[in-house]
Amino acid sequence: MATLRQRLPGNHPAAHGHFPGNPVIPAAVLLSETLRLIEARLGLRLAPCRIRRAKFPHPARPGDDLAIEFTGSSPGSIKFQCVVSGTTVLVGEVECSETSTS
């Protein structure tokens, strides 16, 4: 299992309007950033890919420190989770029909 660390910017533009007075990072942004960081670490392009599952059990907020843990369960399949202070904010799996170097 590999672990990446990423701090969500306190002034992240996607948080404006999600939700005023109680900002959260939109789920699509959290998923996109997670996959982008995994791609960068592995030196792979995860496209075309299929998101097999993605669950967001707790919100991520601007300024949070993410621990992104991932592992390849089989060729073309990567399981991942994002944790903030011991709380899981994202868990999922992506299957890629092809992976190629960037």
Side-chain angles (χ1 to χ4, degrees):
M1 179 176 300
T3 301
L4 304 169
R5 304 234 176 248
Q6 176 75 20
R7 172 166 273 196
L8 296 170
N11 61 349
H12 197 292
H16 300 297
H18 282 86
F19 298 92
N22 188 23
V24 298
I25 299 298
V29 171
L30 183 59
L31 180 59
S32 175
E33 285 296 303
T34 298
L35 295 177
R36 183 185 65 77
L37 289 166
I38 291 171
E39 281 182 329
R41 168 59 79 85
L42 296 176
L44 298 174
R45 204 181 78 187
L46 300 177
C49 66
R50 177 174 70 109
I51 298 167
R52 231 175 149 222
R53 65 185 174 96
K55 300 207 183 246
F56 304 87
H58 194 271
R61 301 189 182 282
D64 280 350
D65 288 313
L66 293 176
I68 303 165
E69 301 167 343
F70 68 95
T71 184
S73 60
S74 64
S77 178
I78 298 170
K79 292 182 180 182
F80 55 88
Q81 71 173 359
C82 296
V83 177
V84 173
S85 300
T87 301
T88 300
V89 296
L90 167 60
V91 62
E93 182 177 2
V94 62
E95 283 186 339
C96 296
S97 58
E98 296 178 21
T99 56
S100 63
T101 56
S102 335

